[in-house]
């Protein structure tokens, strides 16, 4: 039956893609999905209280990603770090997910940052370093690969590129195993403007690459989230041998993963939360050398991704969780920090249509029913 969306009438598809779990992990690329957290909708908390997480549903979603052959990037931006989930909640998430990964044999990496520091004021570099060290120790204690995330506190503390170089050099010397470095652009977090000591991206890139060049044995790879394919390709070509590039570009990921005659990117993407089974299947097609088949599967998903990640990009998590609800991975559309209100009804309705056209919903009837219920709550009568 036709459903009347804000953008116009739409007839939902009747069948899903039907990609079954149990397939092997891709082999030609390392692929992580940055995963969202599921809020506890019945927790009696206020806006200033710590997040209440539905742990069973949160871990069940990670088992779902692992079952389709994806790695999980835990406690990252997609999990609302700094936008509803504080360090105490993130630490518990890391502990629980690490144990779950060990139980099922899933690949996992986790975000290491400085978000236990107060948000205001100017911390010292020593305080920033100590905060990083605390989180790095937790990751290593739990046997997960660390992802050194960009730090809002370091932006406030650093006086220039030399402070970034010194801080990262110290942390890389401390790390017992190679880490992933993460450059998150200000479109994802405005507080990270000027990271690496400069708002000039060429200068910032040079500093970033200097960190890697001086410690290549401690850097497994880099994740670039700047939504700039040309810059990612440039950086990728300048990396030392053995250091991987994990694309974090949710606008241009098919071409970056496919690569060219001079190399390719692996993946660590928030959009692979809703695209999980399809993304893993596409990369397995790429494993066979079928680039055209890979692009035929993944290129049509870019419209949905660009919609979810449109400006203000940092609110993409709302669309991700909305699609998880429509897909039946959780029983409600509630987010930690009340972030379910961060996108408009027309935005969510368009996300539903684009996802349904792709066949992403395991149960299209359930997705349609839930979309109709959301429309009704907002006053829709058709």
């Amino acid at each position: 039956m036709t459903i009347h969306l804000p953008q116009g009438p739409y007839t939902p598809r009747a069948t899903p893609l039907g990609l079954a779990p149990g397939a092997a992990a891709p082999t030609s690329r390392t692929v992580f999905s940055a995963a969202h957290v599921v809020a506890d909708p019945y927790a009696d908390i206020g806006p200033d209280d710590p997040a209440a997480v539905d742990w069973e549903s949160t871990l069940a979603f990670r088992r779902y990603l692992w079952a389709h052959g994806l790695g999980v990037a835990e406690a990252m931006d997609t999990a609302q770090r700094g936008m509803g989930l504080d360090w105490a909640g993130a630490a518990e998430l890391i502990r629980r997910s690490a144990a779950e990964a060990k139980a099922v044999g899933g690949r996992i990496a986790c975000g290491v940052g400085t978000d236990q520091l107060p948000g205001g004021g100017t911390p010292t570099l020593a305080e920033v370093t100590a905060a990083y060290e605390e989180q790095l120790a937790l990751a290593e204690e739990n046997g997960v690969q660390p992802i050194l995330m960009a730090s809002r506190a370091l932006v406030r503390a650093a006086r220039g590129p030399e402070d970034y170089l010194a801080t990262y050099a110290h942390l890389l010397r401390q790390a017992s195993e190679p880490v992933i470095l993460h450059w998150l652009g200000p479109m994802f977090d405005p507080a990270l403007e000027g990271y690496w000591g400069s708002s000039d991206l060429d200068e910032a890139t040079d500093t970033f690459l200097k960190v890697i060049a001086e410690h290549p044995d401690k850097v497994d790879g880099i994740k670039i989230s700047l939504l700039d394919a040309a810059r990612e390709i440039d950086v990728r070509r300048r990396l030392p041998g053995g250091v991987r590039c994990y694309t974090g570009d949710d606008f241009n990921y098919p071409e970056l993963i496919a690569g060219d005659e001079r190399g390719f990117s692996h993946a660590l993407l928030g959009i692979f939360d809703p695209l999980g089974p399809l993304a893993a299947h596409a990369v397995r097609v790429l494993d066979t050398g079928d680039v055209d088949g890979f692009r035929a599967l993944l290129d049509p998903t870019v419209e949905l991704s660009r919609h979810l990640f449109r400006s203000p990009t940092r609110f993409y998590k709302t669309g991700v969780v909305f699609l998880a609800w429509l897909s039946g991975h959780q029983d409600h559309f509630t987010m930690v920090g009340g972030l379910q209100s961060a996108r408009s009804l027309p935005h969510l309705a368009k996300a539903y249509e684009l996802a349904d056209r792709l066949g992403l919903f395991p149960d299209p009837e359930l997705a349609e029913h839930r979309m109709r219920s959301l429309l009704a709550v907002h006053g829709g009568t058709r």
Side-chain angles (χ1 to χ4, degrees), residues 217-233:
D217 60 320
K218 287 298 186 75
V219 181
D220 162 68
I222 62 167
K223 169 174 156 57
I224 305 178
S225 300
L226 298 176
L227 304 183
D228 182 338
R231 183 166 298 277
E232 178 174 322
I233 292 169

Side-chain angles (χ1 to χ4, degrees), residues 38 121 161 217 248 306 309 312 336 351:
V38 182
D217 60 320
R306 287 178 175 248
F309 284 79
V336 299

Side-chain angles (χ1 to χ4, degrees), residues 8 165 174 300 303:
L165 290 168
Q174 293 283 98
E303 184 180 3

